[in-house]
Amino acid sequence: MSQQEIDQLVDQDYKYGFVTDIESDTLPPGLNEDVIREISTRKCEPKWLLEWRLEAYAKWLEMTPPEWAHLDYPPINFQAISYFSAPKKQGDGPKSLDEVDPALIETYNKLGIPLEEQKMLAGVAVDAVFDSVSVVTTFKEKLHEAGVVFCPLSEAVHSHPELVRKFLGSVVPQNDNYYGALNSAVFSDGSFVYIPKGVRCPMELSTYFRINQQNTGQFERTLIVAEEGSYVSYLEGCTAPQRDENQLHAAVVELVAETDAEIKYSTVQNWFAGDDEGKGGIYNFVTKRGECRGDRAKISWTQLETGSAITWKYPSCVLKGADSVGEFYSVAVAGKKQQADTGTKMVHIGPRTRSTIISKGISTARGQNAYRGLVKVLPGAVDARNFTQCDSLLIGDQCGAHTFPYVEAQEPSAQLEHEATTSKVSDDQLFYLRTRGMSEEDALNMVVNGFCKEVFQKLPMEFAVEAEALLGITLEGAIG
Amino acid sequence: MLSIRNLHARVSDKPILKGINLEIGTGEIHAIMGPNGSGKSTLSSVLAGRDDYEVTDGEVIYMGQNLLDLEPEERAWAGVFLSFQYPVEIPGVKNIYLLKAAVNAIREHRELPELKAGDFLKLVREKLKVMQMDESFLHRNVNEGFSGGEKKRNEILQMQLLEPTLALLDETDSGLDVDALRIVGEGINRMRSPECSVLLITHYQRLLDIVKPDFVHVLAHGEIKLSGDHTLAERLEREGYEGIEAA
Amino acid sequence: MSGFSEWLADVKDVCASEALAVGLPTKRVESWKYVPIRGLARTTWQPASPQTTEQFALTGGQFVNVPKVDGCAVSENTLTASEQTRLDRMSQAHGFGLTQAALENNRLVLTIQKTASVVLNLHHLANQASSAGFATLVLRVEAGGQLTLVEQFESTDIESANLSSLRCLVALSRDSSVTHVRFQAANATAHVFSNLDVECSENANYRLQTIEFGSKLARNDIYIALVGREASASVNGLAITSGTQYHDTHLAIDHVVGETNSEMTFRNMVDGKGEATFNGRVLICKDSQRSATEQSIANLLLSESARVNPKPELEIYADDVTASHGCTVGSLNKTELFYLKSRGLSEANARAFLQYAFAEKIVEKIEHRDIRELVETQLLGELKHGELIAELKESVDV
């Protein structure tokens, strides 16, 4: 395959690059205590939360941005970013879909986000986040019957203050890391999910995030608590419009799984990746962590990362409960001039804890894709097990694939296994498929899909279909 | 000499053996046959002391002592030998080190003097010849890179050197071609003596054509369903396990 | 910088003042994250003086009795521009690198002449208490030359901390080959630092076998650049860490051009309160097509307090390559233990067998017979219950 061919094929327009034209209520750029007070006031937050934010801000000021990642980007000017943007409300906010700004609905339709009733048939409740404020939440009733709380975090602060106060920051503390601290200071909104003891959430919970406003950082914060013996599957999709400037996204997701609880968290991330020359695109610095607090708890992260100019993201599991299980399944694609440094951390604390890591990295065009993972086994995690497999696929000779697996083992009965391979798409495979009548592009698609199969199988059904389609679009033309 | 009474065992909560009763007298050869998953390998593993298996009930008396109380190496010292269905590869350890270490460990417990290098080599060469194995086997790492047939021959070689009073042979015939089967079978026949009892565990009759058992037992669903003499094996071959079970 | 401050203050050069300014690396320096440097910083180090010996040795930071061998010439002490660059890169890596450069006592440059075949045995003699020796060895192997370099550390009963550091540059011209055996069994109070920088030209082959038993703290920084087509490198390493020892190997291989091959196999066996770190990084540069690399790291933890930090890294910028790595951590295999015990071996002997087997997979690759046997003997001495195997080896090995 010649470089020209690759370029031609990789050349793929961002399909979600439009700007919604609605008035919004945005704070001027800049960050200081007053801005934080303003955010808190606008959201009518209780005093403790404002103090919590200010504490985080003070800690953030003491911290420096991490430099260890295999990423190359100019320093971010945090004073040039606006930290709050909400669509202007008409009255007291929409009571039904009819009341939602039609431009917004139009946006969701273009994204193919099914907000209407057929979605209920599909069993999905949607909490759509548009810039910083949740606009509409559907199917609350059905969830309410089951006792499940699923609402914007800003609402939960008022409706379930004791829960929010108990769990917020309990998994990712304010000063956990630079971007996590920033989020703690300025987080706008996000989802709050609470599954009571013994409840199996009756539907998949789904949220679409979207960054719209120019120069707006989005700092959503999600908190999911699964009480003893409960189960929830949470889906998150992300898309952002095309801009020339880089936009910052620094989110925090915290998961708490108590005894025998299970949380399945799936992400399809397709933020704008920038153009072929690396102009524009989202800087995606995300802290995601789950704690298996009780025995036999299970947390499973599945992600498809195709977007963003920069991805810095390590969904992690802290396995405290005995026999608890952590899983990480990831497909990360870096094309154009995208850079991804992503992976996971599995911290084994309880006895017989088990973790599985399957990571598939695909690099095309001038993309740089790095897997970075830590498996840490503390003394006392008797008979802990980990299996890690990270495979990288290179398509074209201008891209890069990197693997940085850290292991820290301090328990002799632990058994850890790590395997990694890096290869290009085999010419033999492509040739074989083409002799069977497939176009080169279809052949590539098939091979890459096969490469990702293990991970896609872990996604909820309808998400898997979307993931395959998205991968297809991302690769369209990537070959060869 | 070996009496298994009401033996129950399970693997990670799954009951496999559900009350095995079996008496093996001195110098007898017993064959246990049964379909896949009937519990054959579990039985031999329990007898040899593999700790993945939990004995939930019953007892195994071997020469007056409870076998189940002994560590695997203590069973070996007491004269129990297990030929593995899948012999373990130990890269980095020469076969001859294992052979000599094992022979002398067992001799020590039989209160026999340690074999000196020269005597040991003489003995091992003699047994190699019987098993039609080349001397280079001794200097290869334990089972590493051995073919399926070579591994099984190596097991029987070990058995001949260790001179057990009870030999448990787990699927020793699997993965062998006709020639290797004959060599292995004859190797077992050489062990026939009033001092040595053998428990053969096998799926097929073909090994039993060479090593004629005194008794044949059919194991299914964790219990011995049927016992008889060597003609039972022939019947099984003709009618299949289903036919027998139905009857 | 504590530890070396006074000494560095006496040396009036740029490197020394930089070293003083930067200080010893801390845990914040990624590549020194796990190194327990407190002892290093607490000791007030002094220059070491050479011991008397008749062997070719490195003692007190001095090379003594440089052998006169056919095909091996002692060259002048001036470095080529490229050698200087490589040495500077070593120094700039971290504060300790600068210290090594500033405190260098002695430098030896040897040239292995065209198509010559040379064997060198270098003995490291322990320094006296609280003394540190720093030296640099430059090896130039001309086209078609063959060098076997064997480094051995003499263990002596020195009760207080001592330190020895060797920076070694090896340049392999086209078609040359180097077999480098490093057997470190230094005394239990030694701090051993080794920096190795190897450059392989076209069709040159570098093989390193490194065995580490001794010292209180050992740190190896190994860098290999494959700069000519069909150049290849292989590294086999074993570290046996027990007591309160700390062993650390940072190994990096760069495939600078295409059609190059590398292979690394490293094993850590950790007992007691020992800690071992292994970082293996392979870089395949852009356009280094048709290169291949394979890494395998195995770690055996034998006690409750043993720690191991393995990290196999791959950085790949070319698509037509085959790269793989595997890494395992675990204790002794239960099935293997059961097999040995079912053959009558006691628990202790079965464990010794398996530990020996684990180490032997690396040791058996040493072609140099005398060294291999020496290593095996000492290995068995290191193992709890190694006597049975020692006896067996003696009685039945032919």
Side-chain angles (χ1 to χ4, degrees):
Chain A
M1 202 191 335
S2 77
Q3 188 52 44
Q4 196 188 357
E5 276 174 293
I6 295 167
D7 288 346
Q8 225 171 29
L9 294 168
V10 168
D11 190 18
Q12 163 69 36
D13 291 332
Y14 187 66
K15 296 209 160 141
Y16 304 122
F18 49 85
V19 177
T20 306
D21 190 16
I22 57 167
E23 273 186 274
S24 67
D25 184 5
T26 303
L27 279 182
L31 182 57
N32 53 47
E33 284 201 7
D34 290 340
V35 168
I36 292 165
R37 284 175 204 283
E38 183 62 28
I39 293 171
S40 194
T41 308
R42 289 199 188 199
K43 297 167 77 72
C44 308
E45 285 177 354
K47 193 162 169 262
W48 70 264
L49 190 50
L50 171 64
E51 276 163 11
W52 194 82
R53 285 175 180 275
L54 290 172
E55 241 174 67
Y57 178 67
K59 287 173 179 167
W60 178 73
L61 285 176
E62 305 276 298
M63 298 168 87
T64 49
E67 283 169 356
W68 39 259
H70 194 273
L71 299 170
D72 182 21
Y73 58 96
I76 298 167
N77 180 359
F78 291 94
Q79 295 305 333
I81 295 168
S82 164
Y83 289 85
F84 189 78
S85 167
K88 267 197 180 144
K89 289 177 182 176
Q90 301 163 341
D92 283 324
K95 297 205 168 52
S96 75
L97 283 179
D98 300 341
E99 289 179 24
V100 174
D101 190 324
L104 266 180
I105 300 289
E106 179 70 21
T107 304
Y108 290 132
N109 285 338
K110 276 195 217 168
L111 286 174
I113 299 174
L115 211 69
E116 294 78 14
E117 290 215 344
Q118 64 260 34
K119 212 43 202 171
M120 191 167 92
L121 296 172
V124 176
V126 177
D127 176 23
V129 174
F130 191 90
D131 286 356
S132 309
V133 171
S134 271
V135 239
V136 70
T137 304
T138 46
F139 312 117
K140 267 191 182 164
E141 275 312 299
K142 197 171 172 192
L143 294 172
H144 187 75
E145 276 167 38
V148 172
V149 182
F150 178 38
C151 66
L153 185 61
S154 58
E155 192 183 307
V157 167
H158 300 289
S159 59
H160 299 86
E162 69 300 337
L163 288 177
V164 175
R165 204 167 174 177
K166 180 174 172 195
F167 291 106
L168 186 74
S170 72
V171 180
V172 180
Q174 290 152 308
N175 61 342
D176 184 77
N177 68 77
Y178 189 75
Y179 295 102
L182 178 64
N183 175 287
S184 299
V186 303
F187 73 89
S188 37
D189 212 338
S191 296
F192 175 76
V193 178
Y194 179 80
I195 317 287
K197 194 170 167 179
V199 171
R200 196 179 165 86
C201 186
M203 57 186 81
E204 312 259 359
L205 303 181
S206 160
T207 303
Y208 274 76
F209 294 107
R210 188 174 146 79
I211 300 176
N212 192 60
Q213 203 62 35
Q214 203 161 346
N215 284 336
T216 307
Q218 181 150 345
F219 305 95
E220 83 270 5
R221 186 157 189 128
T222 291
L223 175 57
I224 301 178
V225 178
E227 291 285 8
E228 190 176 331
S230 66
Y231 168 85
V232 62
S233 166
Y234 186 88
L235 282 55
E236 166 197 60
C238 327
T239 304
Q242 193 157 359
R243 301 270 187 198
D244 284 346
E245 303 80 18
N246 297 105
Q247 282 177 286
L248 175 65
H249 176 249
V252 170
V253 175
E254 298 179 273
L255 311 182
V256 176
E258 300 289 356
T259 304
D260 289 311
E262 178 176 353
I263 302 176
K264 208 171 146 61
Y265 195 105
S266 313
T267 306
V268 171
Q269 186 264 111
N270 187 30
W271 301 117
F272 178 50
D275 68 9
D276 293 347
E277 293 311 310
K279 201 170 171 205
I282 301 289
Y283 285 1
N284 193 26
F285 295 92
V286 177
T287 306
K288 289 183 166 174
R289 189 175 307 148
E291 257 183 41
C292 287
R293 293 199 177 156
D295 295 352
R296 297 171 302 280
K298 180 176 177 185
I299 289 179
S300 170
W301 299 98
T302 307
Q303 60 174 28
L304 169 62
E305 302 279 326
T306 62
S308 297
I310 299 226
T311 300
W312 180 98
K313 178 182 170 187
Y314 316 93
S316 309
C317 298
V318 180
L319 305 171
K320 284 186 177 160
D323 299 288
S324 59
V325 175
E327 294 176 339
F328 175 75
Y329 299 96
S330 167
V331 170
V333 186
K336 300 178 192 281
K337 279 190 90 173
Q338 284 172 273
Q339 304 175 57
D341 193 294
T342 183
T344 183
K345 283 192 255 179
M346 293 291 174
V347 183
H348 291 257
I349 299 170
R352 298 175 306 280
T353 45
R354 280 171 293 143
S355 63
T356 304
I357 301 171
I358 307 285
S359 162
K360 306 279 178 178
I362 300 161
S363 311
T364 72
R366 282 179 288 170
Q368 296 294 334
N369 208 335
Y371 167 82
R372 185 181 304 277
L374 167 69
V375 176
K376 184 168 187 160
V377 185
L378 295 171
V382 176
D383 288 327
R385 294 274 179 282
N386 164 268
F387 175 74
T388 302
Q389 187 185 332
C390 37
D391 297 326
S392 306
L393 199 59
L394 292 143
I395 306 172
D397 59 4
Q398 303 291 308
C399 52
H402 320 298
T403 318
F404 307 104
Y406 298 61
V407 178
E408 293 176 14
Q410 309 177 356
E411 166 58 48
S413 61
Q415 214 167 313
L416 318 178
E417 225 177 299
H418 172 96
E419 285 170 16
T421 61
T422 304
S423 58
K424 65 170 186 169
V425 174
S426 127
D427 288 337
D428 288 348
Q429 288 174 327
L430 292 180
F431 176 70
Y432 180 77
L433 292 172
R434 291 171 72 193
T435 62
R436 298 295 177 265
M438 297 183 73
S439 72
E440 208 171 354
E441 196 166 298
D442 286 347
L444 176 76
N445 233 316
M446 181 174 268
V447 171
V448 174
N449 248 298
F451 177 74
C452 301
K453 201 88 217 162
E454 273 174 281
V455 173
F456 286 168
Q457 277 169 352
K458 297 290 169 182
L459 286 168
M461 188 58 160
E462 46 184 282
F463 237 37
V465 175
E466 195 180 329
E468 278 188 35
L470 189 57
L471 184 66
I473 292 171
T474 315
L475 290 174
E476 221 165 80
I479 198 182
Chain B
M1 148 173 123
L2 181 78
S3 95
I4 303 173
R5 294 168 198 161
N6 190 33
L7 184 65
H8 286 71
R10 64 181 181 191
V11 183
S12 51
D13 294 344
K14 194 179 167 226
I16 310 275
L17 301 183
K18 301 165 188 166
I20 302 272
N21 289 291
L22 187 64
E23 293 286 333
I24 298 180
T26 310
E28 292 173 357
I29 295 191
H30 289 242
I32 289 198
M33 302 184 73
N36 289 327
S38 57
K40 300 190 302 281
S41 289
T42 302
L43 179 61
S44 63
S45 296
V46 166
L47 294 179
R50 196 186 284 240
D51 63 5
D52 309 339
Y53 299 84
E54 192 191 341
V55 174
T56 49
D57 201 4
E59 57 179 7
V60 179
I61 305 297
Y62 169 71
M63 309 218 300
Q65 52 188 334
N66 193 345
L67 192 67
L68 301 177
D69 290 344
L70 304 180
E71 291 296 315
E73 64 272 32
E74 292 170 329
R75 298 182 200 205
W77 300 336
V80 178
F81 178 88
L82 170 68
S83 161
F84 283 54
Q85 184 181 358
Y86 304 106
V88 180
E89 297 189 9
I90 305 186
V93 171
K94 284 186 189 180
N95 216 5
I96 192 165
Y97 292 1
L98 170 60
L99 295 175
K100 185 158 186 267
V103 165
N104 280 328
I106 286 169
R107 285 180 72 88
E108 189 189 329
H109 289 272
R110 288 182 187 157
E111 290 172 357
L112 294 169
E114 191 177 313
L115 272 191
K116 293 278 164 273
D119 296 335
F120 171 74
L121 278 171
K122 204 173 137 215
L123 177 69
V124 93
R125 283 192 181 117
E126 185 189 304
K127 304 291 184 194
L128 277 171
K129 213 164 146 197
V130 173
M131 295 311 294
Q132 302 187 21
M133 291 165 82
D134 191 87
E135 203 169 321
S136 65
F137 270 90
L138 298 177
H139 297 280
R140 285 166 68 183
N141 289 334
V142 177
N143 291 326
E144 191 189 23
F146 284 26
S147 71
E150 286 172 339
K151 283 183 183 167
K152 294 295 169 73
R153 272 195 270 174
N154 198 28
E155 293 289 286
I156 302 302
L157 175 77
Q158 291 176 16
M159 176 173 78
Q160 303 213 339
L161 284 167
L162 300 182
E163 298 174 335
T165 39
L166 173 66
L168 310 166
L169 308 179
D170 188 3
E171 304 269 358
T172 299
D173 53 340
S174 67
L176 296 183
D177 61 26
V178 184
D179 291 332
L181 184 72
R182 187 181 42 77
I183 296 167
V184 165
E186 281 167 6
I188 299 170
N189 278 333
R190 289 179 69 95
M191 297 299 296
R192 271 203 130 121
S193 78
E195 288 81 42
C196 177
S197 311
V198 178
L199 182 62
L200 276 171
I201 290 170
T202 179
H203 190 81
Y204 303 105
Q205 193 220 336
R206 54 182 207 163
L207 180 63
L208 307 185
D209 290 340
I210 305 170
V211 185
K212 279 265 184 290
D214 302 310
F215 300 94
V216 175
H217 311 275
V218 179
L219 187 66
H221 309 297
E223 289 174 82
I224 291 180
K225 300 281 187 193
L226 200 62
S227 299
D229 62 11
H230 67 91
T231 57
L232 178 58
E234 288 153 27
R235 213 180 116 205
L236 272 175
E237 190 76 3
R238 273 197 318 274
E239 298 174 23
Y241 290 110
E242 281 172 34
I244 297 279
E245 274 184 73
Chain C
M1 172 195 278
S2 52
F4 299 96
S5 316
E6 286 172 30
W7 190 357
L8 282 168
D10 290 344
V11 183
K12 301 275 179 272
D13 78 353
V14 186
C15 222
S17 48
E18 274 183 51
L20 271 174
V22 179
L24 283 173
T26 64
K27 296 214 178 283
R28 289 182 66 95
V29 176
E30 173 77 17
S31 68
W32 279 62
K33 198 168 153 181
Y34 304 107
V35 187
I37 62 151
R38 258 185 307 176
L40 205 59
R42 240 192 266 130
T43 312
T44 306
W45 297 101
Q46 291 154 6
S49 46
Q51 297 178 33
T52 30
T53 173
E54 281 169 10
Q55 293 167 313
F56 173 36
L58 177 59
T59 165
Q62 303 283 340
F63 291 99
V64 295
N65 308 321
V66 179
K68 293 180 179 61
V69 191
D70 278 353
C72 174
V74 177
S75 310
E76 272 188 46
N77 245 337
T78 33
L79 298 183
T80 65
S82 136
E83 284 164 347
Q84 192 58 54
T85 311
R86 290 162 63 201
L87 214 51
D88 289 345
R89 180 178 56 208
M90 235 181 227
S91 316
Q92 295 300 331
H94 39 67
F96 191 71
L98 288 166
T99 308
Q100 284 172 306
L103 301 182
E104 179 185 285
N105 300 74
N106 190 206
R107 183 181 292 175
L108 174 65
V109 182
L110 295 176
T111 303
I112 310 304
Q113 287 150 347
K114 264 185 194 167
T115 67
S117 178
V118 172
V119 179
L120 292 174
N121 279 299
L122 176 64
H123 296 262
H124 291 253
L125 302 186
N127 297 320
Q128 305 87 325
S130 302
S131 71
F134 295 88
T136 302
L137 175 64
V138 179
L139 296 166
R140 300 171 182 156
V141 187
E142 294 184 344
Q146 289 178 22
L147 169 67
T148 300
L149 172 66
V150 179
E151 288 182 71
Q152 266 175 271
F153 289 70
E154 311 288 310
S155 184
T156 40
D157 302 324
I158 289 182
E159 277 167 18
S160 49
N162 55 96
L163 184 151
S164 73
S165 151
L166 175 62
R167 304 191 297 163
C168 183
L169 288 185
V170 187
L172 288 88
S173 305
R174 59 177 306 159
D175 304 321
S176 66
S177 75
V178 171
T179 301
H180 186 172
V181 182
R182 213 176 149 269
F183 177 38
Q184 196 266 94
N187 60 79
T189 53
H191 297 67
V192 177
F193 291 86
S194 159
N195 284 66
L196 183 59
D197 182 308
V198 180
E199 200 171 82
C200 291
S201 306
E202 207 173 312
N203 198 35
N205 173 251
Y206 174 78
R207 267 174 303 176
L208 173 66
Q209 278 129 3
T210 165
I211 312 284
E212 202 116 46
F213 293 168
S215 75
K216 164 126 189 86
L217 184 155
R219 163 71 179 222
N220 301 310
D221 286 279
I222 303 164
Y223 172 73
I224 302 170
L226 303 172
V227 300
R229 296 214 165 256
E230 290 180 44
S232 59
S234 80
V235 176
N236 285 289
L238 169 71
I240 297 183
T241 312
S242 59
T244 56
Q245 284 181 307
Y246 177 79
H247 287 141
D248 186 329
T249 296
H250 272 65
L251 166 62
I253 300 181
D254 286 2
H255 291 250
V256 181
V257 302
E259 287 161 47
T260 45
N261 273 285
S262 69
E263 198 187 294
M264 57 169 93
T265 310
F266 205 94
R267 295 193 158 204
N268 283 307
M269 183 154 99
V270 193
D271 205 346
K273 288 184 177 160
E275 180 167 355
T277 299
F278 178 79
N279 187 300
R281 193 214 60 174
V282 176
L283 169 72
I284 299 187
C285 299
K286 195 165 166 294
D287 300 325
S288 297
Q289 301 294 8
R290 291 171 301 284
S291 291
T293 179
E294 223 183 298
Q295 271 189 75
S296 138
I297 305 170
N299 302 278
L300 194 56
L301 289 176
L302 296 170
S303 74
E304 297 295 322
S305 317
R307 296 199 172 179
V308 66
N309 314 298
K311 186 172 164 213
E313 302 179 35
L314 286 172
E315 251 184 272
I316 295 170
Y317 296 91
D319 66 336
D320 192 0
V321 301
T322 42
S324 66
H325 66 217
C327 172
T328 57
V329 179
S331 47
L332 294 173
N333 182 302
K334 283 185 186 157
T335 309
E336 291 172 6
L337 272 176
F338 173 69
Y339 187 71
L340 293 175
K341 283 158 74 177
S342 78
R343 296 298 175 259
L345 267 65
S346 67
E347 170 87 19
N349 279 332
R351 292 181 69 88
F353 258 63
L354 293 180
Q355 289 173 40
Y356 173 76
F358 181 85
E360 183 62 17
K361 283 308 268 184
I362 299 294
V363 177
E364 71 185 11
K365 291 188 180 136
I366 302 174
E367 292 122 19
H368 199 291
R369 191 180 163 150
D370 295 348
I371 290 292
R372 189 178 62 241
E373 284 178 357
L374 179 73
V375 172
E376 280 173 352
T377 309
Q378 292 211 21
L379 166 68
L380 290 168
E382 290 287 317
L383 296 181
K384 281 179 206 150
H385 308 284
E387 314 81 31
L388 174 67
I389 304 164
E391 222 178 277
L392 286 165
K393 280 175 68 67
E394 196 144 315
S395 68
V396 291
D397 265 358
V398 273

